[in-house]
Amino acid sequence: MNNNTLGAMNWQQDRSESAKNPLIPGARILRGEDARHVYVNSSASMQRFYALSEVNDLGLFSYIEKKASTDGDRPWATQAHPDINLYVYILKGTGTVVLGGEDQTFEQESYDFVEQELVIVPRGVPYRFTGEWEGICFHVRASVFGTAAGTNRFPHPIVTLDKPARPTQEERDALHEPASYVCMDPLFSVGIQGEPVVKGSFKPGNLLACRTDLASVQEGMEANSLYYNLTPVDRQTKNERNLDQARKNAAALGARVIKVADSPSQYNANAGLKQTCTPLTWTDDIAIFNLAEKKASSDIERPFDSHSHPDIEEYKFIVSGSGSVTLGLGDATCEIEKYEFKAGDLVILPRGMPHVDAGEFTAVYFHAKHSVFGKTPGSSLYPHMAYVYTKPPRPTQEERDALYDPGTCLLMNSRETHALHVPNPILKVDKLDQGMKHLRPDLFAE
């Protein structure tokens, strides 16, 4: 059976499942075989783009395959993405991300990365990649500061800053000109061009030496030193070289590459699995980014609890293995939906809808800090909000004590080291009676 046939069968079954809850729009799962394969000339890489829609909190999600050979004859074009951070999680291989460049506004930084490390390209900062690697690439539609990326239909904004070498005229002609501004749709199929959001940079210089009459005025510190000395930052990484690189542009807060050693593993008792929580910070557009490793044996003795995340979607990219997700368990307002998933699938858990996972798989899961509908779940310090529906069995008293009771509503920080318990916002759930028209024949004569 070829992939096209398999994909057709999957989406028909998936659409049938989601039709059980027609008031909740949007796909619940985007299959790897249904992703759109595109050769992206600007990065000289093959990418698979997943069909996100207007109701999704993400503006872009793709799988990138980058070859080292392109560093010589087809280097990555230097680009920037206004208003939003770009996240690239490395699944295989190694490489380097270079931030800044010819533009005077940002001194060049360079970071090496390996698999299972998260690269964060700060909003509006020029960047390019080298090396040979595979990974997932994504960004939100609305940043942590509430700024929308691009436009509603075209939420992937790109500012091109150079025009690198290409071996053929056709490829050279297809590159954007420097200073061009383009917004692409999530499938990278069509875009719109606009006026450059930035036409250039300007440094006025300090002309104090020209004013001898102001000789008594003390010259201040260099701007970057002021930011570094005066602004406390969250130490997301222990890598001293990376910290030194980030000091070159201290006004751009946050880590650029979060190393494997920066995300220690822990046991999630409510899910019955091993997870690593990436140390994100206040300026990140995503609230959590975790790597989860689940065993099938947990389904018998340590099953998932059913829980939801009010006001925000949760995304789960399946790195390896397979399993299933059940939606609606424990919520009387929802019909039960169930989806089987495998490596390469992107599972989308609708906001406020309970979900339970099963199977044996490795996955990365994450969600935005600011939803497409303008909602901000939780708080700045505790942006990971969860509402619990069920309390599944556990083989030991220690594990049972670690579970949350149904009706618990809590806010967690991105590293899941602390939680705030808040009042349960749901007092009662019932279905409204729609069969009382016979009581008012004066209103319903039919």
Side-chain angles (χ1 to χ4, degrees):
M1 181 179 294
N2 61 46
N3 284 342
N4 289 336
T5 303
L6 183 61
M9 292 175 63
N10 279 332
W11 74 254
Q12 289 176 359
Q13 182 177 344
D14 295 341
R15 286 286 295 271
S16 177
E17 280 295 299
S18 62
K20 294 177 179 177
N21 294 287
L23 297 182
I24 303 174
R28 319 306 199 228
I29 185 169
L30 299 176
R31 304 286 178 178
E33 59 267 22
D34 292 330
R36 182 173 186 264
H37 292 237
V38 179
Y39 173 70
V40 179
N41 187 36
S42 59
S43 62
S45 63
M46 285 301 302
Q47 295 193 41
R48 302 198 302 270
F49 293 90
Y50 289 66
L52 299 169
S53 74
E54 290 179 289
V55 299
N56 292 131
D57 294 335
L58 292 187
L60 179 89
F61 187 92
S62 72
Y63 189 102
I64 301 178
E65 299 177 57
K66 165 81 172 61
K67 298 295 185 183
S69 59
T70 62
D71 296 339
D73 61 353
R74 293 176 172 88
W76 194 296
T78 303
Q79 301 175 325
H81 304 290
D83 299 321
I84 45 93
N85 292 329
L86 186 77
Y87 296 87
V88 180
Y89 183 70
I90 308 304
L91 296 170
K92 299 177 184 178
T94 62
T96 301
V97 59
V98 179
L99 304 179
E102 300 299 324
D103 193 303
Q104 299 181 65
T105 60
F106 203 85
E107 187 177 341
Q108 184 170 293
E109 304 174 14
S110 176
Y111 301 88
D112 297 328
F113 54 78
V114 300
E115 62 184 53
Q116 293 191 10
E117 294 184 345
L118 182 64
V119 179
I120 306 173
V121 178
R123 52 187 62 82
V125 172
Y127 74 96
R128 57 186 172 85
F129 280 94
T130 65
E132 182 149 341
W133 49 272
E134 296 181 23
I136 55 173
C137 173
F138 60 93
H139 67 71
V140 299
R141 276 183 177 260
S143 80
V144 68
F145 300 112
T147 306
T151 72
N152 191 40
R153 295 282 185 187
F154 305 97
H156 181 45
I158 305 170
V159 173
T160 300
L161 298 171
D162 66 6
K163 194 172 183 179
R166 290 293 184 267
T168 69
Q169 189 63 46
E170 184 180 12
E171 290 174 280
R172 288 192 291 273
D173 292 343
L175 288 174
H176 294 300
E177 294 296 326
S180 63
Y181 174 60
V182 176
C183 294
M184 300 297 297
D185 70 334
L187 284 175
F188 219 78
S189 62
V190 65
I192 55 173
Q193 292 185 318
E195 290 295 320
V197 290
V198 177
K199 292 187 176 181
S201 58
F202 171 71
K203 284 192 175 183
N206 193 339
L207 301 180
L208 188 59
C210 299
R211 292 295 304 274
T212 55
D213 57 321
L214 299 178
S216 62
V217 177
Q218 296 297 313
E219 185 172 352
M221 280 191 290
E222 189 266 334
N224 194 60
S225 297
L226 280 171
Y227 276 111
Y228 173 66
N229 291 330
L230 301 181
T231 307
V233 296
D234 181 2
R235 228 178 129 91
Q236 295 169 270
T237 178
K238 302 179 183 67
N239 187 289
E240 290 298 332
R241 182 192 177 280
N242 287 8
L243 290 169
D244 286 339
Q245 287 288 303
R247 292 186 187 109
K248 293 179 179 180
N249 299 281
L253 303 181
R256 323 301 198 227
V257 174
I258 299 181
K259 311 296 285 183
V260 173
D262 299 324
S263 304
S265 60
Q266 62 194 57
Y267 177 61
N268 185 328
N270 288 275
L273 52 73
K274 174 185 176 181
Q275 70 178 27
T276 58
C277 298
T278 302
L280 300 171
T281 189
W282 282 25
T283 57
D284 276 305
D285 295 336
I286 54 175
I288 61 165
F289 187 89
N290 295 348
L291 176 67
E293 300 175 57
K294 186 182 175 308
K295 299 292 186 182
S297 58
S298 296
D299 297 337
I300 300 173
E301 56 184 16
R302 294 176 174 91
F304 240 80
D305 67 340
S306 182
H307 65 280
S308 70
H309 306 290
D311 297 326
I312 209 78
E313 291 177 326
E314 184 176 72
Y315 294 85
K316 193 185 308 288
F317 179 77
I318 311 305
V319 177
S320 62
S322 61
S324 66
V325 58
T326 302
L327 304 180
L329 189 64
D331 188 339
T333 67
C334 298
E335 298 296 327
I336 301 296
E337 301 178 21
K338 186 172 183 179
Y339 302 88
E340 305 289 333
F341 57 71
K342 62 185 183 309
D345 291 343
L346 179 65
V347 179
I348 304 175
L349 305 170
R351 60 201 90 245
M353 198 172 187
H355 50 270
V356 175
D357 289 343
E360 182 148 340
F361 59 87
T362 298
V364 288
Y365 61 96
F366 56 95
H367 66 71
K369 276 191 177 177
H370 197 97
S371 87
V372 72
F373 297 112
K375 294 281 190 175
T376 303
S379 65
S380 296
L381 187 55
Y382 300 93
H384 182 32
M385 186 175 186
Y387 177 73
V388 179
Y389 289 84
T390 64
K391 189 174 184 178
R394 289 293 184 268
T396 68
Q397 188 62 45
E398 183 180 12
E399 290 177 282
R400 287 193 289 274
D401 292 342
L403 293 183
Y404 294 114
D405 292 323
T408 300
C409 188
L410 63 155
L411 312 179
M412 292 172 281
N413 62 5
S414 65
R415 302 162 205 202
E416 297 196 8
T417 58
H418 295 82
L420 297 182
H421 291 246
V422 296
N424 177 5
I426 303 174
L427 299 178
K428 182 182 178 182
V429 173
D430 57 15
K431 293 186 178 182
L432 300 179
D433 191 343
Q434 302 292 318
M436 302 175 66
K437 292 194 291 186
H438 64 282
L439 299 177
R440 290 296 304 274
D442 57 322
L443 295 178
F444 301 95
E446 69 274 15

